[in-house]
Amino acid sequence: MPLIVTGSIGIDSVHAPTGTATDVLGGSSIYFAAAASFFGPVRLVGAVGEDFPDHFLETFNHFAVDLEGLERRAGSKTFRWTGRYHENMNERDTLEVHLNVLAEALPPIPEAYRDSQYIFLANTDPGSQAQLLDSFPDRRLAVADTMDLWIDTQKSQLLALLERIDGLVLNDAEAIMLTGATNLVQAAEVIVAMGPRFVVIKKGEHGSLLVHEDGHLALPAFPVRNVVDPTGAGDSFAGGMMGYLAAADDISIRTLRTAMAYGTIIASFNIESFSLDRMKQITRDDLDRRFEGFRAMLEL
Ligand code: AMP
């Protein structure tokens, strides 16, 4: 079933103990779309500015991402983000963020996208997320991601969005920040009481936690020795999860569990290099092989 995403499309600079990548392709919807495309086609809605390098578009030759909804806006500048990872690679500081075109209106949604059933609102301002949602009243599943900046600056818009979505994906620190809870299970339950039917809390190298009205699941991360750049781990996790659900066209908790495992696997590949470099090299077979290894590891 057709899957659509909106979120940031950015020019990132990343400083990590493993090296530095300057002015590389990034953004929440980019990592999401690339990861989801291993399971089926993905539609992307978003805007970039005049400064968006042409060669970034070549990256999409590797992924089945429909770019009809991507606008290059004259007179605007692309979203930019710069981050620095701590020695442990689990924590990072945002050094600079320039919203630029992200603070402007979303581009129009192409007519051909109207039958989208699976909607993912990747990290961007909650107003743009709500606008995408408004365009799909007959959707099957709507899931959103959010982050500290929006919890800080646009909490009321975010709370309004939570009442309208089926699922929320966010990291551990953000779940605590949003709810004020002291433990993650409690935080997830508070969020479920705010509207969505399920919450997935991402815990970096410690895996993920699902709290769903039909049950719970805690999954470890796939153990990766060679972590180069964790940027986009959360977005690629969400892309794998939503891509799997849309391809299965099944939103039961049973399928959601497998979808989370695929999200875990694609994120484990993504962090093995900067930007989308590792995802560009792999195939669905590579994903399936690592998935089987993950399943074998968990046989209890
Ligand atoms: P993740 O590591 O999964 O949190 O995703 C990192 C990506 O999110 C980077 O490629 C950034 O360009 C993008 N990003 C960083 N801050 C924001 C923000 N406030 N809103 C939307 N996207 C962001």
Side-chain angles (χ1 to χ4, degrees), residues 35-53:
S37 75
F38 285 90
F39 303 90
V42 190
R43 299 162 170 177
L44 179 72
V45 174
V48 295
E50 283 180 340
D51 54 346
F52 192 73

Side-chain angles (χ1 to χ4, degrees), residues 186-264:
Q186 282 172 10
E189 285 171 354
V190 171
I191 295 170
V192 167
M194 291 168 168
R197 278 187 289 143
F198 68 88
V199 177
V200 178
I201 299 183
K202 302 165 287 178
K203 302 185 291 173
E205 68 170 331
H206 303 297
S208 56
L209 171 71
L210 168 71
V211 170
H212 189 288
E213 57 187 17
D214 296 335
H216 295 186
L217 173 70
L219 268 188
F222 183 84
V224 175
R225 181 179 295 113
N226 187 29
V227 180
V228 174
D229 173 18
T231 308
D235 308 308
S236 55
F237 170 93
M241 183 184 93
M242 287 294 285
Y244 187 87
L245 290 174
D249 191 20
D250 177 3
I251 56 174
S252 65
I253 186 164
R254 194 187 159 81
T255 303
L256 185 53
R257 292 162 66 95
T258 313
M260 280 176 62
Y262 267 106
T264 302

Side-chain angles (χ1 to χ4, degrees), residues 9-12 23-27 30-31 52 56-57 59-60 274-276:
I9 304 168
I11 304 175
D12 285 354
D23 292 347
V24 295
L25 176 61
I30 296 300
Y31 282 106
F52 192 73
F56 279 4
L57 292 175
T59 301
F60 291 100
F274 287 101
S275 190
L276 281 74

Side-chain angles (χ1 to χ4, degrees), residues 7-14 24-31 79-82 85 92 94 96-97 99 102 122-125 145-150 171 174 202 229-237 270 275-276:
S8 60
I9 304 168
I11 304 175
D12 285 354
S13 292
V14 178
V24 295
L25 176 61
S28 56
S29 65
I30 296 300
Y31 282 106
F79 170 73
R80 277 183 184 263
W81 176 78
T82 303
Y85 286 89
R92 74 174 178 213
T94 291
E96 275 183 59
V97 55
L99 293 179
L102 214 61
N123 234 314
T124 189
D125 71 285
D145 192 346
T146 194
M147 76 193 301
D148 46 3
L149 178 69
W150 312 118
N171 75 27
E174 292 152 0
K202 302 165 287 178
D229 173 18
T231 308
D235 308 308
S236 55
F237 170 93
N270 179 58
S275 190
L276 281 74

